[in-house]
Amino acid sequence: MSNHDSNTSQASSKNLIDTAAANGSFLTLGKALEAAELTSVLKGSGPYTVFAPTDAAFDKLPKGTLDNWLKPENKAELISVLKYHVLPGRTSAVEVEKLTSPKMMQGQTASVRKDGDKLSIGGANITQRDIASSNGVIHAIDTVIVPTKH
């Protein structure tokens, strides 16, 4: 069970879910992933790049938005929102900078912008980069990004 992924500068034995939980800034995200039944996906082999909204990012949502998404009847919308934060593959922040509109797991693209040393995706600033895990990488973001409805 060795990890031969050369893109990882530091290997971690924890998967994306456990890495996010250990970080302590993604408790709301963990709760949302459980409600959407996506934890097993992000514990799988991947690799995935997760643009993870911090608890403070969820706090910025309009009042009642998260509670509404967590209702069983809104599970499909919650899944769509959460998958909009996941990019298939292991993509470092340096690699994210080279992207313009990556296609997220949810199916839509998200715009990437670089302004000096600031990097954003879908209008959310990346506040912590390259949190390594065994099956991908996490980049913390300061805003929950919501896909456009068709």
Side-chain angles (χ1 to χ4, degrees), residues 11 24 28 42 49 52-53 58 63 65 76 79-80 82 89 94 98 115 119 123 126 138 146:
T28 306
L42 295 180
T49 300
F58 278 100
K63 189 168 176 58
T65 301
I79 290 170
S80 177
L82 293 173
V94 171
K98 299 173 187 169
D115 183 12
L119 184 62
I126 296 176
I138 297 171
V146 180

Side-chain angles (χ1 to χ4, degrees), residues 27-144:
L27 302 177
T28 306
L29 176 62
K31 181 176 162 184
L33 288 167
E34 282 182 26
E37 297 179 4
L38 288 174
T39 53
S40 62
V41 172
L42 295 180
K43 284 184 176 185
S45 59
Y48 302 106
T49 300
V50 178
F51 296 93
T54 61
D55 293 339
F58 278 100
D59 289 343
K60 289 170 32 178
L61 286 169
K63 189 168 176 58
T65 301
L66 179 61
D67 289 336
N68 198 42
W69 284 339
L70 292 174
K71 292 178 181 172
E73 62 268 25
N74 297 324
K75 184 175 172 183
E77 184 177 1
L78 177 63
I79 290 170
S80 177
V81 169
L82 293 173
K83 284 185 172 182
Y84 195 55
H85 291 80
V86 180
L87 182 62
R90 185 186 304 266
T91 310
S92 70
V94 171
E95 293 167 322
V96 171
E97 289 178 8
K98 299 173 187 169
L99 302 174
T100 52
S101 55
K103 187 172 185 178
M104 308 308 279
M105 181 186 274
Q106 178 263 3
Q108 293 183 25
T109 59
S111 62
V112 173
R113 302 242 185 283
K114 183 166 173 27
D115 183 12
D117 62 351
K118 292 184 178 175
L119 184 62
S120 67
I121 184 159
N125 294 311
I126 296 176
T127 57
Q128 192 177 0
R129 300 175 182 208
D130 300 320
I131 304 167
S133 78
S134 63
N135 64 338
V137 63
I138 297 171
H139 304 295
I141 57 175
D142 66 355
T143 305
V144 176

